[in-house]
Amino acid sequence: AQKITQTQPGMFVQEKEAVTLDCTYDTSDPSYGLFWYKQPSSGEMIFLIYQGSYDQQNATEGRYSLNFQKARKSANLVISASQLGDSAMYFCAMREGSRIIFGKGTRLHILP
Amino acid sequence: GAVVSQHPSWVICKSGTSVKIECRSLDFQATTMFWYRQFPKQSLMLMATSNEGSKATYEQGVEKDKFLINHASLTLSTLTVTSAHPEDSSFYICSALSPAGARVYEQFFGPGTRLTVL
């Protein structure tokens, strides 16, 4: 069974608009963590944001925020004021024990 | 943030040869490192967890005799693809677990190694 689900294989967004990338997860472990990574065409994995399962507030890092809805098991990434440089592949991931499992990713295209 | 390097960044080899990929944590000690492979336009698939001084833990379906992992020191883990075949061509990425006492549980990724087997 898929542990991390990203339902949007691709998205096109106009520059300067906000964008929400969806992620749902499945775990029975009460202690877990959720991550978002960005992978540009160069292939490097860039850490964006982290949310622990016990964190009371939604994580924010600059233009990135994580909309954590624990009851729904969702951890959507919100990028405000999108820029052309945001065009990349975005992966949601979950820490389960010592392992981190990745979703299939969403390819985001920012249009000028 | 912490820096992880990989060497080589790309390699082309003939079918049947073995290829070694190095993963180094440059400014911190990493007791745990991870190896992933990524096919074009696909997600990262965890291959194994490498712990310093002990045997690696392989994910289901990954051949341990095919993909040899050695974590001989706190800053170096190696992945050897033995008797490589064209289907082993992929992008291999390593990561190192954040050092003890880090603010969050985080992995620091290397830049990846693109392996092409002819």
Side-chain angles (χ1 to χ4, degrees), chain A residues 35 39 95 98-100 103, chain B residues 34 36 38 43 59 105 107:
Chain A
F35 304 80
Q39 187 180 41
R95 171 181 66 81
S98 62
R99 301 155 69 237
I100 292 186
Chain B
F34 303 89
Y36 296 85
Q38 185 180 29
S43 185
E59 294 296 306
Y105 182 102
Q107 291 185 64

